[in-house]
Amino acid sequence: MRKLFVISFLLIGLLFARENGEINVAAAANLAYVMGDIQKEFLTTHPNDKINISYSSSGKAYAQITQGAPIDLFISADREFPHKLYTQGKAPQKERVYAQGVLVLWSANPKIKITSLQTLTLPSITHIAIPNPALAPYGYAAKEALEKTGLGQKIHTKLINATSISQAHQFVATGSAEAGFGALSLIDKQDKKISYIIIDKSLYSPIEQALILTNHGKDKELAKEFEAFILSPKAKKIFEKYGYIVNE
């Protein structure tokens, strides 16, 4: 009888246990650092699951999903691209905002001190990295800031379009550009060689970053659980640590 009870208990456990899962996540390039911490924290309670995260511009990720890429969860740098997926019937529910991004202007050149947007007019700055405004929300925000301050026409010949915010940061870090626009979440605040400023938020539209579960992942329990965790208070604290603005 006892043996029968144990077998029955194990069968019930197997019946209700969720199978180990694996999902593919497309994330905006500005999330490269913060998502590593969030993924690690999530997997402490899901040790047998696997989450594959690829990083690119939000526009590129959106295009890949519309073309049939097997993406289960899209974590964008804006609301527009996820919302398009919903209106096009490629997602079962509307997008949800998880954080607000912060735009910065920075330089890795110790001879250049970034003190304001006007610094970009200095003759010593001949190349300015900017994420492609058509693909990267931070690039669009940078374009807005330049237009509102009237600097756009003055420095347009210096601008170098990057395919994503990570490439824009790479241009600055390697010296290919003396300065560039980027995300506060990607700035190494411990590096004394760099200088940066946070761009006045009144100069650009809020960078509301949203995520959305795609049709490919709508029936995957792991995708739903990871989405819920990214929206949880625990994840919000991690976003704050990296400089994002979150709603309580």
Side-chain angles (χ1 to χ4, degrees):
M1 178 65 71
R2 182 178 180 182
K3 185 177 180 180
L4 181 61
F5 174 80
V6 171
I7 293 175
S8 298
F9 180 81
L10 289 174
L11 287 174
I12 292 173
L14 289 172
L15 180 65
F16 288 98
R18 178 178 65 76
E19 292 183 3
N20 296 337
E22 179 175 357
I23 59 172
N24 296 319
V25 177
N30 72 87
L31 299 165
Y33 296 159
V34 67
M35 283 308 300
D37 282 3
I38 289 176
Q39 180 184 19
K40 182 179 179 181
E41 182 64 29
F42 177 78
L43 290 177
T44 59
T45 56
H46 296 72
N48 298 317
D49 292 324
K50 187 175 181 181
I51 298 174
N52 306 309
I53 304 179
S54 60
Y55 299 95
S56 66
S57 67
S58 296
K60 183 178 179 180
Y62 160 77
Q64 290 174 335
I65 294 170
T66 59
Q67 292 165 11
I71 302 299
D72 302 302
L73 181 64
F74 177 31
I75 313 173
S76 181
D78 70 350
R79 297 189 71 163
E80 182 180 355
F81 287 119
H83 188 68
K84 282 184 178 180
L85 292 179
Y86 174 71
T87 57
Q88 292 168 355
K90 298 184 182 299
Q93 58 188 18
K94 287 185 177 181
E95 76 283 358
R96 300 178 69 182
V97 174
Y98 59 88
Q100 184 174 316
V102 177
L103 181 68
V104 299
L105 174 65
W106 74 295
S107 175
N109 189 329
K111 296 181 181 179
I112 295 175
K113 181 71 173 179
I114 301 294
T115 57
S116 71
L117 282 171
Q118 291 295 329
T119 305
L120 297 177
T121 63
L122 294 175
S124 57
I125 295 181
T126 58
H127 299 90
I128 303 165
I130 180 173
N132 187 337
L135 299 174
Y138 282 79
Y140 185 81
K143 181 182 177 182
E144 282 187 310
L146 290 175
E147 289 176 349
K148 283 191 176 181
T149 55
L151 286 171
Q153 286 300 316
K154 294 180 181 179
I155 65 169
H156 74 277
T157 58
K158 299 182 179 183
L159 296 177
I160 304 175
N161 264 359
T163 57
S164 67
I165 198 168
S166 59
Q167 187 179 62
H169 273 257
Q170 184 180 18
F171 285 165
V172 178
T174 59
S176 297
E178 292 86 10
F181 290 95
L184 181 60
S185 59
L186 296 177
I187 295 294
D188 182 358
K189 302 174 185 65
Q190 304 303 315
D191 189 346
K192 303 302 180 182
K193 297 178 183 179
I194 71 171
S195 61
Y196 72 94
I197 60 167
I198 294 175
I199 304 301
D200 188 336
K201 295 178 183 60
S202 67
L203 295 177
Y204 61 92
S205 304
I207 306 175
E208 290 188 312
Q209 304 197 190
L211 80 173
I212 195 165
L213 199 66
T214 69
N215 286 342
H216 192 272
K218 66 180 181 180
D219 296 322
K220 295 186 179 182
E221 203 59 38
L222 179 59
K224 296 176 185 178
E225 290 175 5
F226 192 48
E227 177 193 38
F229 182 76
I230 294 171
L231 296 167
S232 72
K234 183 174 287 188
K236 284 183 178 181
K237 290 182 179 180
I238 300 176
F239 278 116
E240 284 184 319
K241 185 178 74 171
Y242 280 87
Y244 292 91
I245 299 171
V246 297
N247 295 322
E248 297 298 334

